[in-house]
Amino acid sequence: MTPDEIVQQLTSSYAVVIFSKSDCCMSVMVKHLIFTLGAGPKVVELDEHVNGSGIQDVLCQFSGINQPIPAVFIGGKFIGGVDSLITYHLDNKLVPHLKEAGALWL
């Protein structure tokens, strides 16, 4: 599979996907927030994935920035990184979005 196909397959198969790096503090925060809300995301640690650099290049295309990590997809849609996720949360849009995607049942 190409990196683009990997991203497409993962984001269409899981309600929440977080592309992360294991040593990135912002990635840790994003994962913690999603887990704390009760969702069980698919986490892809790019520094541990055989196609990590290629996947990161694909994520750069989605985000339009050079360092797209962490990158969060909910319901197959690119949400963004830590800033976008926190904004969603503070605007009380994150939990409804997670419910709509099937990541939360309550």
Side-chain angles (χ1 to χ4, degrees), residues 10-76:
L10 288 170
T11 59
S12 65
S13 299
Y14 295 93
V16 181
V17 181
I18 301 172
F19 292 95
S20 172
K21 287 193 176 178
S22 58
D23 62 350
C24 172
C25 64
M26 293 300 171
S27 293
V28 170
M29 190 194 68
V30 163
K31 291 182 282 189
H32 181 75
L33 174 59
I34 295 293
F35 279 116
T36 299
L37 292 173
K42 171 67 175 173
V43 177
V44 180
E45 299 291 358
L46 297 180
D47 54 330
E48 299 171 1
H49 195 284
V50 67
N51 290 318
S53 63
I55 292 170
Q56 185 166 335
D57 291 342
V58 171
L59 297 172
C60 285
Q61 295 171 3
F62 276 101
S63 67
I65 59 174
N66 237 4
Q67 184 54 266
I69 306 304
V72 180
F73 289 77
I74 300 175

Side-chain angles (χ1 to χ4, degrees), residues 75-89:
K77 296 177 183 172
F78 178 65
I79 300 303
V82 67
D83 292 343
S84 299
L85 194 68
I86 295 298
T87 299
Y88 259 60
H89 187 52

